Amino acid sequence: MLQLDRSKLQAARLWVAHHRPYYSAALYRCPVVVTDAVDTFAVDGRWRMYINPTYANSLTVGRFAAALIHEVNHLLRDHAGRAQSCNVVSPADRHRWNLAADAEINDDLLADGVDVDVHTWILPATLCADDHLMAEVYYRLMATDEESPPGAWACGEGAGARVLGVELPDDGDDAPGVSTAEARIIRHQVAREVLEHARVGGHVPDFLRSWADAIVTPVVDWRRVLAGAIRSAVSMVSGSSDHTYQRFGRRNSTSPEVRLPGRVAPTVQVAVVVDTSGSMRDDDIAQALAEVRGILRSESIADHVVTVLTVDTAVASIVRVTGVRSNWTMGRGGTDMRVGIEAALQTRPRPNLVVVLTDGFTPWPDRPPAGAQVIVGLIGSLAGTIGCPSPPSWTRVIRITS
C-alpha cells in the first residue's frame, strides 16, 4: 500500500487551522486511519477518518483541506443520527442518504469559498434539486426518482452511509476514536469557537453561525415560552385601541355641542403559517399546532378567528381551524415561508398575530410586517442545525422539540 504523504496531511490541517480555525477542535480529534480499502475519505461512528493514500496524495493542499472539512461536517451535522431517525437501513437507502448528506454539505462549502471539486463532488444540481436544502429533503426527493442515483464517495457509517467493512473495533487501541458523550462535547466546543470567531470579526458563514447559536442555547420548556410569547402578543393587541367618529364617546352627553369620538379596540385575529415541506414530520406539525390552539383557547381566542395556511414554496390551503389537522393540503416540496407570511397578511380580516411553525430551512422577509407581530416556532431536532438560516431579529423565536 502506498504511504500517505504526511507532510501534505499536515499542510491541509494547517490550512484549516488558519482559514477555518473553528473546525480545528473537531478535525484534530479525528484519528487518521490510512487504508486503500476506501476509495477516497470516510468516517466511522467513532469519528475515525479513513483516508485512501493514493487519492489523498493526488490532491492539492486546498482540495485535501476541503475533503477534511467535508468529512468533519458529516460528524458535526450528526448525519449518522439523522439517518437513523429517517429509518435509513438498506444498502440502497444508505447510498441515497450518502448522496443527500453530501449535497447538503457541499453547496454550503462551495458558497463559503472552500475548494470544492464541482466536477466530481455531489452538489444539489447533481440531484436536480435546489441548493441549501436538508439531507432529509434530498433523500425523499431521490426516493421518488425512478432514475438510479449517481455515484458518490462512500463516506462511511459516521455519515449515515454504508458500513465500509474495514472499520476498527470500538475498543481498538490503535485509534480508539471518541465516545457519544465526547462527540457532544466536541460539537459544543466547535460551536463556542464559531461564535467567538464571529465576535472578534472573523469570517463565519451564516449556515455555521446559526448552527452554533442553536448548539449553545440553553434548553428550556418550549411550551411555557411559547405560551408566554403568545399571551404577550395577544395582550398587546387586545390592549391597543384608537379613536373613531363612527362611535360617539361615552361622555358625549356632557357636551352636546361637541362630538367626542369613541374608542374602538381591535379584535385579535391569528394566522398560523404551517410549513408542510418535505423536511417536516406530520407528528411534529400536529403537536405544535395543538399546543398553539390550546394556548389561544386559554386566552379566549375562538377557533373562528384562527386561520391556518399550509405552505411549502406555495400556499397549498387556507382554512379556518376546526381541528388539529382540519382539511390540510400538504405540499411536500421546498420551503419558502415568505410566501406564507405574505398570504397570511392578505387574508381578511387581516391578522395582527402571525405564528409560523417551521423547521427553519427557509428564506425570511426583509422587513417586519406592519401592524402584525410574528412568532416563529422552530420545530424538530433539525432546527438550528448547520445550514438553517436564522429568523429575523424582529420575530420572537421559540425552539420546539419533542
Side-chain angles (χ1 to χ4, degrees):
M1 181 179 67
L2 184 67
Q3 295 297 310
L4 176 66
D5 185 345
R6 293 280 176 174
S7 63
K8 184 172 286 188
L9 169 63
Q10 183 64 14
R13 283 175 162 174
L14 289 174
W15 188 99
V16 175
H18 179 71
H19 294 283
R20 304 293 185 272
Y22 34 79
Y23 284 124
S24 296
L27 179 59
Y28 282 95
R29 287 294 287 116
C30 295
V32 172
V33 180
V34 181
T35 175
D36 56 10
V38 300
D39 295 328
T40 51
F41 286 60
V43 285
D44 67 13
R46 302 281 288 188
W47 288 47
R48 291 171 290 211
M49 189 176 297
Y50 299 81
I51 299 179
N52 181 297
T54 303
Y55 175 77
N57 292 348
S58 70
L59 300 175
T60 64
V61 170
R63 190 63 56 79
F64 200 133
L68 295 175
I69 293 173
H70 173 95
E71 297 301 332
V72 164
N73 265 271
H74 279 304
L75 301 171
L76 292 177
R77 300 178 189 223
D78 192 23
H79 279 152
R82 289 161 57 185
Q84 188 175 14
S85 298
C86 290
N87 197 31
V88 177
V89 177
S90 72
D93 288 345
R94 287 184 176 275
H95 176 60
R96 283 194 295 270
W97 177 261
N98 201 158
L99 292 168
D102 283 354
E104 179 192 280
I105 293 172
N106 291 338
D107 63 342
D108 287 339
L109 300 190
L110 183 63
D112 188 30
V114 176
D115 189 10
V116 171
D117 185 349
V118 296
H119 300 293
T120 62
W121 289 25
I122 299 298
L123 293 166
T126 314
L127 310 179
C128 300
D130 295 332
D131 286 347
H132 305 303
L133 303 179
M134 295 304 296
E136 287 77 1
V137 178
Y138 294 131
Y139 176 70
R140 292 190 181 104
L141 290 174
M142 282 186 287
T144 62
D145 192 346
E146 296 180 357
E147 296 183 7
S148 299
W153 292 6
C155 287
E157 191 176 11
R162 67 179 175 85
V163 177
L164 303 172
V166 297
E167 290 87 352
L168 298 177
D170 287 350
D171 56 354
D173 294 332
D174 294 337
V178 303
S179 66
T180 302
E182 289 173 321
R184 286 196 296 268
I185 293 172
I186 294 170
R187 289 190 183 99
H188 274 267
Q189 183 178 352
V190 171
R192 289 194 298 271
E193 293 185 4
V194 165
L195 297 179
E196 177 61 20
H197 192 71
R199 188 186 68 80
V200 298
H203 164 78
V204 175
D206 290 341
F207 72 86
L208 199 58
R209 184 166 185 169
S210 60
W211 167 81
D213 282 332
I215 291 290
V216 301
T217 300
V219 177
V220 297
D221 183 355
W222 65 267
R223 293 173 180 83
R224 178 175 56 81
V225 177
L226 179 62
I230 291 179
R231 285 168 182 152
S232 175
V234 169
S235 295
M236 289 184 66
V237 171
S238 301
S240 62
S241 61
D242 200 358
H243 292 89
T244 177
Y245 281 97
Q246 294 180 352
R247 176 186 302 173
F248 294 143
R250 290 182 297 174
R251 297 181 180 179
N252 201 72
S253 59
T254 63
S255 54
E257 296 83 5
V258 180
R259 295 293 187 180
L260 300 177
R263 298 182 68 85
V264 60
T267 302
V268 177
Q269 298 288 337
V270 183
V272 182
V273 179
V274 181
D275 179 355
T276 57
S277 62
S279 59
M280 293 286 290
R281 293 174 49 191
D282 288 359
D283 291 346
D284 288 336
I285 297 172
Q287 177 193 11
L289 184 57
E291 294 288 344
V292 171
R293 290 183 65 239
I295 295 166
L296 292 172
R297 283 181 171 179
S298 71
E299 294 299 302
S300 301
I301 307 299
D303 280 351
H304 71 272
V305 300
V306 181
T307 303
V308 176
L309 300 88
T310 59
V311 183
D312 49 16
T313 55
V315 178
S317 63
I318 302 177
V319 298
R320 290 293 180 181
V321 59
T322 56
V324 171
R325 285 298 303 272
S326 193
N327 299 313
W328 292 9
T329 301
M330 310 290 274
R332 291 313 190 199
T335 312
D336 191 343
M337 292 296 101
R338 295 174 302 182
V339 174
I341 294 172
E342 179 61 29
L345 297 174
Q346 298 300 319
T347 59
R348 293 294 178 267
R350 189 179 191 273
N352 33 40
L353 173 60
V354 178
V355 180
V356 182
L357 302 177
T358 176
D359 57 10
F361 294 95
T362 173
W364 295 98
D366 294 330
R367 57 179 61 89
Q373 297 190 59
V374 179
I375 297 174
V376 176
L378 291 180
I379 297 178
S381 59
L382 299 180
T385 57
I386 295 178
C388 181
S390 298
S393 58
W394 43 263
T395 63
R396 176 70 186 274
V397 180
I398 311 297
R399 300 191 182 278
I400 298 175
T401 57
S402 300

